[in-house]
Amino acid sequence: LSNRTLQRVISRYLGGRVRFEGYTLFTLTEASTPETYASGHFHHDRCGRRLRMFVHIHDIDHHGRHTQAARGSHRTFAYYSYVDAYGLTRFSPDYVRSRYEVISLTGPAGGGFLLDTNGLHRAQLSGRARTAIQLEWHAKTKVPNLATHPASDYLQCPTQQDWQKTCEEKTWGRR
C-alpha cells in the first residue's frame, strides 16, 4: 500500500484522490459451480470504476480456477448500474468472445493483477481451488456518496459494505 508507483497508477486511473477500501482473503473451492457461484459467468460488478488487486497465495495456472477477463471491456461505461440490475450484468461466453479477446489472469505465488471491475470478467470454475488476497480502491468521494443512495443495501461497492469502517487515512493522489 505504500508503493509510490502503485499509488500513482491507481490515482491516475481513477482520476484523482483515491481511497483504499479494504481487503479480503478469498478461496474459490473445487465445489463452486456456475449454479452456486454467480461470478463464474462473465459479468461486471455493477458499481462503475473500481480497481481490485488480486495477489496469488499459491501458483495459479490454466489448470486452476483462475480469472478470465475481456480485454478492453472496461472502456464500456454504458452498461454499469448502481441499482439492483443483476440480470443485466451477466453475459454469455459466446457473446463475450465474439467481441473481445478473452485473457487468463494466471501467475506465480506472490504475483497477481489489477482489474477494473467495470470490465467483463469471470472465475474459471474448473480445476484446482485458488486462494488470493483481494484489495480494493475507489475514487475518494464515491463510496461516501453511494452510502446515501436509496438502494445502498443492494450495492456492490465497496465489497465490505461497511460504511462506518472506511480507510480515510489510506487516501492519496492529487486534488
Side-chain angles (χ1 to χ4, degrees):
L1 294 176
S2 62
N3 182 292
R4 296 264 187 232
T5 301
L6 179 65
Q7 291 175 2
R8 188 169 44 254
V9 166
I10 292 171
S11 176
R12 288 181 180 169
Y13 187 83
L14 292 176
R17 295 199 41 88
V18 299
R19 57 193 261 159
F20 172 67
E21 290 295 338
Y23 64 92
T24 58
L25 179 66
F26 178 75
T27 299
L28 185 57
T29 69
E30 293 175 6
S32 299
T33 67
E35 292 76 33
T36 62
Y37 185 64
S39 294
H41 301 278
F42 276 105
H43 67 284
H44 59 86
D45 286 356
R46 297 187 298 138
C47 66
R49 297 178 81 185
R50 163 176 66 186
L51 289 178
R52 185 175 285 164
M53 176 182 281
F54 289 69
V55 179
H56 304 307
I57 299 301
H58 52 82
D59 294 347
I60 306 291
D61 60 24
H62 289 85
H63 302 293
R65 293 173 182 257
H66 58 278
T67 299
Q68 293 183 322
R71 188 186 303 268
S73 62
H74 64 287
R75 295 184 187 109
T76 304
F77 294 102
Y79 57 57
Y80 75 80
S81 172
Y82 292 117
V83 295
D84 194 22
Y86 175 83
L88 302 175
T89 64
R90 299 305 189 251
F91 298 82
S92 76
D94 291 339
Y95 173 85
V96 174
R97 287 191 179 97
S98 73
R99 287 162 176 75
Y100 301 99
E101 174 190 4
V102 175
I103 57 173
S104 294
L105 304 173
T106 60
F113 57 91
L114 193 59
L115 176 75
D116 180 341
T117 65
N118 192 55
L120 299 177
H121 59 284
R122 75 172 181 173
Q124 177 60 38
L125 295 180
S126 62
R128 295 183 301 266
R130 72 145 189 233
T131 301
I133 299 170
Q134 297 177 5
L135 301 97
E136 185 172 312
W137 291 268
H138 295 268
K140 184 175 187 305
T141 59
K142 178 182 171 185
V143 173
N145 289 335
L146 288 177
T148 62
H149 191 283
S152 64
D153 290 342
Y154 304 104
L155 299 176
Q156 300 295 314
C157 291
T159 298
Q160 299 298 316
Q161 289 194 5
D162 188 345
W163 309 116
Q164 304 306 313
K165 294 182 181 178
T166 59
C167 300
E168 286 291 334
E169 70 280 2
K170 295 290 186 183
T171 62
W172 60 71
R174 289 186 290 232
R175 280 201 193 161

